[in-house]
């Protein structure tokens, strides 16, 4: 009984010691009154006006990422605004050129589609590069970032748990707003 009274008195003693020493004492919030900090997702806009026949796949790829992570949200760019991400259809192999975390250009290459690769998987994969994920080749179909090494029979457009966690980390707090500029080219 005596030790529990002493333990309950410790916070008051600590406050008194800090006050005498010229320090500042601040009461810690109780679990019932603790404030929870809610951080809004970083919004990245994309322009699919040059995505030609792949516009629907881009919309589906963005929706997959929006359903998979909380720290970043992909939205179509509003008229008159500049997009963080440009998507351009071309005849080459799919590739992404990043300029910084959350910014760059995706070239939605028809070559992979002509070879039988799934368009929504391509879209999700390339958006993954914009979100800071590297290729993970070779890899299984369960890894979105395994890209073409999973084969044409792989239609999985969803990031796995590790890929989701990495994107969440990439866009957590101040890191997302002050990401260093980096020019990278991912050819898948």
């Amino acid at each position: 009984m005596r030790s529990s009274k002493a333990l309950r008195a410790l916070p008051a003693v600590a406050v008194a010691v800090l006050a005498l020493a010229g320090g500042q004492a601040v009461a810690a919030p109780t679990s019932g009154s603790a404030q929870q900090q809610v951080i809004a997702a970083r919004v990245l806009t994309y322009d699919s006006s040059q995505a030609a026949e792949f516009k629907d796949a881009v919309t589906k790829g963005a929706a997959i990422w929006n359903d998979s992570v909380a720290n970043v949200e992909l939205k179509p760019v509003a008229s008159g605004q500049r997009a963080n991400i440009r998507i351009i259809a071309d005849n080459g192999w799919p590739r992404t050129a990043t300029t910084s975390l959350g910014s760059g250009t995706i070239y939605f290459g028809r070559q992979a589609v002509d070879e039988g690769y799934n368009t929504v998987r391509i879209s999700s994969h390339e958006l993954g590069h914009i979100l800071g994920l590297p290729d993970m080749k070779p890899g299984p179909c369960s890894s979105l970032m395994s890209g073409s090494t999973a084969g044409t029979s792989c239609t999985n457009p969803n990031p796995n748990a590790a890929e989701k966690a990495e994107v969440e980390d990439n866009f957590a707090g101040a890191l997302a707003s002050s990401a260093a500029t980096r020019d990278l080219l991912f050819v898948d």
Side-chain angles (χ1 to χ4, degrees), residues 31-187:
S31 61
S33 67
Q35 294 179 348
Q36 294 181 344
Q37 182 180 3
V38 179
I39 299 174
R42 178 168 173 205
V43 174
L44 300 177
T45 56
Y46 64 90
D47 178 359
S48 61
S49 64
Q50 296 177 33
E53 68 270 28
F54 305 120
K55 280 185 182 182
D56 188 49
V58 170
T59 300
K60 289 177 181 176
I64 287 166
W65 277 108
N66 289 342
D67 290 342
S68 298
V69 295
N71 288 344
V72 65
E73 181 179 3
L74 300 168
K75 288 186 173 183
V77 69
S79 179
Q81 288 185 330
R82 184 173 176 202
N84 301 101
I85 308 160
R86 291 180 36 219
I87 298 101
I88 302 170
D90 73 2
N91 293 325
W93 193 258
R95 61 207 179 276
T96 297
T98 62
T99 53
S100 65
L101 180 62
S103 298
T105 302
I106 294 172
Y107 298 92
F108 208 118
R110 292 181 180 96
Q111 183 179 350
V113 177
D114 292 345
E115 290 182 21
Y117 290 94
N118 180 276
T119 59
V120 178
R121 179 172 167 85
I122 293 169
S123 175
S124 293
H125 175 91
E126 298 304 330
L127 287 167
H129 288 314
I130 295 287
L131 300 176
L133 298 177
D135 285 316
M136 298 300 288
K137 296 179 179 183
C141 184
S142 59
S143 168
L144 175 62
M145 299 315 291
S146 67
S148 62
T149 63
T152 56
S153 63
C154 179
T155 60
N156 171 34
N158 300 300
N160 64 28
E163 293 162 339
K164 291 176 192 179
E166 189 171 342
V167 169
E168 292 287 41
D169 286 348
N170 289 346
F171 288 89
L175 174 62
S177 61
S178 63
T181 299
R182 57 192 172 122
D183 292 329
L184 299 173
L185 176 64
F186 298 95
V187 178

